[in-house]
């Protein structure tokens, strides 16, 4: 019998012979079972690629997958606290949908291996051989925020609501926790990506202002192609270096010292061809 088969009613009604004690028996049983797993050894299987979600372990309590150099793109709203569910409920509802749903659908179109919502942001995971795709997807979403999201929300609320964008890359452990199925509900389980890239991508994103994308130097080292480093040359034919070096050595939240930030969005004339050209580089690998 699974320890999760007990329901709340059991806690209240089940005969509990001991009247004294700190915790209800059902709670004690959960804790005991988990402490037992804690004492068992863990089995970690190396996996070169991010697995399809149904393949992520949930039943065997000691099994994990380890995936090297996962790329995490994180986006959330800059200034979302200016949107209020009590004051402007309809505008807030629309803004959340426009930002979040568009992010999920763009990352999906670019073939992200995994997408989820974290807080009021969205993160997407790409395999280590997809750096240009991860970058192209994030710049595409960033361009949307700049061109459509911010001006539309500004028009309705007279507030600046922009986007935070961050990308980081590192090894993760993954498994699913929770109840595999419970009355057809899926809210009692989720994938847990243990390791730094998701938190670091979110923290990098939180540093970004004015529609800039911040990436760690670990991710930046993937970018060798000219189109990811220099501009197309518009409007005056002068190709400029796109990235600004950012010093994070004084910020103890990061386990790297250098990040790079990008202000530009897809160019009106060359965006399409740069975007598809970059994605193609990953497919050639
Ligand atoms: Zn151009």
């Amino acid at each position: 019998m699974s320890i999760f088969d007990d329901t709340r009613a059991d806690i209240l009604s089940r005969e509990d012979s001991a009247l004294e004690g700190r915790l209800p028996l059902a709670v004690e049983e959960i804790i005991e079972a988990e402490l037992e797993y804690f004492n068992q050894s863990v089995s970690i299987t190396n996996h070169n690629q991010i697995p399809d979600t149904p393949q992520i372990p949930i039943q065997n309590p000691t099994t994990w997958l380890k995936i090297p150099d996962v790329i995490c793109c994180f986006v959330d709203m800059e200034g979302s606290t200016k949107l209020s569910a009590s004051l402007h409920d309809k505008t807030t509802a629309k803004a959340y949908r426009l930002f979040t749903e568009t992010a999920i659908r763009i990352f999906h179109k670019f073939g992200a291996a995994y997408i989820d919502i974290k807080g009021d942001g969205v993160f997407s995971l790409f395999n280590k051989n997809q750096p240009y795709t991860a970058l192209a997807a994030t710049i595409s979403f960033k361009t949307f925020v700049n061109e459509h999201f911010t001006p539309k929300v500004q028009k309705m609320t007279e507030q600046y609501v922009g986007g935070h964008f961050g990308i980081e890359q590192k090894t993760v452990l993954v498994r699913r926790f929770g109840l595999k199925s419970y009355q057809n509900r899926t809210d009692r389980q989720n994938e847990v990506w243990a390791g730094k890239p998701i938190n670091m991508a979110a923290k990098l994103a939180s540093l970004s202002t004015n529609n800039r994308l911040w990436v760690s130097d670990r991710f930046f080292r993937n970018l060798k192609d000219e189109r990811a480093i220099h501009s197309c040359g518009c409007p005056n034919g002068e190709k400029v270096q796109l990235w600004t070096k950012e010093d994070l050595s004084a910020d103890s939240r990061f386990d790297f010292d250098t990040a790079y930030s990008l202000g530009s969005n897809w160019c009106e004339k060359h965006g399409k061809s740069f975007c598809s050209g970059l994605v193609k580089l990953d497919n050639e690998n």
Side-chain angles (χ1 to χ4, degrees):
M1 188 193 83
S2 155
I3 54 161
F4 292 127
D5 289 340
D6 292 43
T7 61
R8 187 172 157 266
D10 291 320
I11 290 182
L12 302 175
S13 68
R14 202 163 82 183
E15 271 186 50
D16 192 338
S17 54
L19 289 173
E20 288 184 357
R22 195 195 300 273
L23 290 165
L25 185 59
V27 175
E28 292 278 14
E29 281 173 359
I30 292 170
I31 295 170
E32 256 167 50
E34 282 309 313
L35 287 174
E36 210 164 290
Y37 291 132
F38 187 78
N39 288 328
Q40 288 176 22
S41 68
V42 168
S43 147
I44 295 175
T45 308
N46 288 308
H47 226 263
N48 213 25
Q49 303 265 309
I50 299 162
D52 285 341
T53 304
Q55 262 72 60
I56 297 175
I58 183 165
Q59 271 171 322
N60 184 331
T62 55
T63 306
W64 289 79
L65 300 179
K66 184 177 185 178
I67 310 153
D69 305 322
V70 168
I71 296 165
C72 177
C73 308
F74 185 90
V75 301
D76 68 357
M77 280 184 250
E78 176 188 3
S80 64
T81 48
K82 294 172 200 155
L83 299 169
S84 153
S86 48
L87 283 179
H88 337 272
D89 56 352
K90 287 184 178 155
T91 312
T92 298
K94 282 184 183 188
Y96 268 80
R97 155 125 208 167
L98 185 59
F99 191 94
T100 311
E101 194 76 22
T102 309
I104 292 171
R105 285 167 189 274
I106 287 177
F107 284 120
H108 175 70
K109 249 326 161 210
F110 276 84
Y114 183 88
I115 304 169
D116 205 354
I117 294 173
K118 183 179 161 82
D120 58 5
V122 172
F123 73 95
S124 63
L125 303 180
F126 290 86
N127 284 306
K128 62 179 177 183
N129 59 354
Q130 300 177 290
Y132 291 109
T133 310
L135 179 67
T138 309
I139 296 176
S140 297
F141 181 68
K142 180 165 124 57
T143 303
F144 150 78
V145 170
N146 191 56
E147 298 288 312
H148 299 284
F149 178 79
T150 298
K152 282 210 154 50
V153 173
Q154 194 143 31
K155 213 171 164 189
M156 292 171 93
T157 62
E158 292 175 359
Q159 301 283 354
Y160 175 85
V161 182
H164 288 303
F165 315 92
I167 305 180
E168 155 69 326
Q169 178 170 25
K170 220 176 177 186
T171 297
V172 295
L173 296 172
V174 65
R175 65 162 286 125
R176 285 185 283 163
F177 286 135
L179 284 69
K180 188 161 192 275
S181 68
Y182 175 75
Q183 297 173 351
N184 288 326
R185 297 172 64 149
T186 57
D187 64 322
R188 315 255 151 156
Q189 61 145 292
N190 208 355
E191 296 72 42
V192 169
W193 304 88
K196 293 231 166 86
I198 297 161
N199 284 333
M200 289 289 134
K203 286 198 176 95
L204 271 175
S206 74
L207 296 177
S208 76
T209 53
N210 300 318
N211 198 250
R212 291 185 80 81
L213 161 65
W214 282 51
V215 308
S216 68
D217 57 353
R218 276 193 288 263
F219 175 77
F220 187 74
R221 282 195 287 270
N222 292 300
L223 309 177
K224 307 266 175 357
D225 191 86
E226 178 70 6
R227 286 165 289 184
I229 307 284
H230 290 98
S231 70
C232 55
C234 288
N236 51 16
E238 199 187 323
K239 294 197 173 193
V240 294
Q241 158 78 25
L242 293 171
W243 297 84
T244 307
K245 205 171 176 178
E246 309 279 0
D247 181 11
L248 291 179
S249 57
D251 194 329
S252 60
R253 294 174 303 163
F254 297 96
D255 67 344
F256 47 89
D257 288 338
T258 309
Y260 292 84
S261 76
L262 172 82
S264 60
N265 298 304
W266 293 128
C267 156
E268 220 173 290
K269 198 170 161 197
H270 299 101
K272 235 190 222 180
S273 68
F274 266 55
C275 182
S276 60
L278 288 177
V279 170
K280 230 179 250 169
L281 292 171
D282 287 341
N283 299 335
E284 284 162 8
N285 286 337

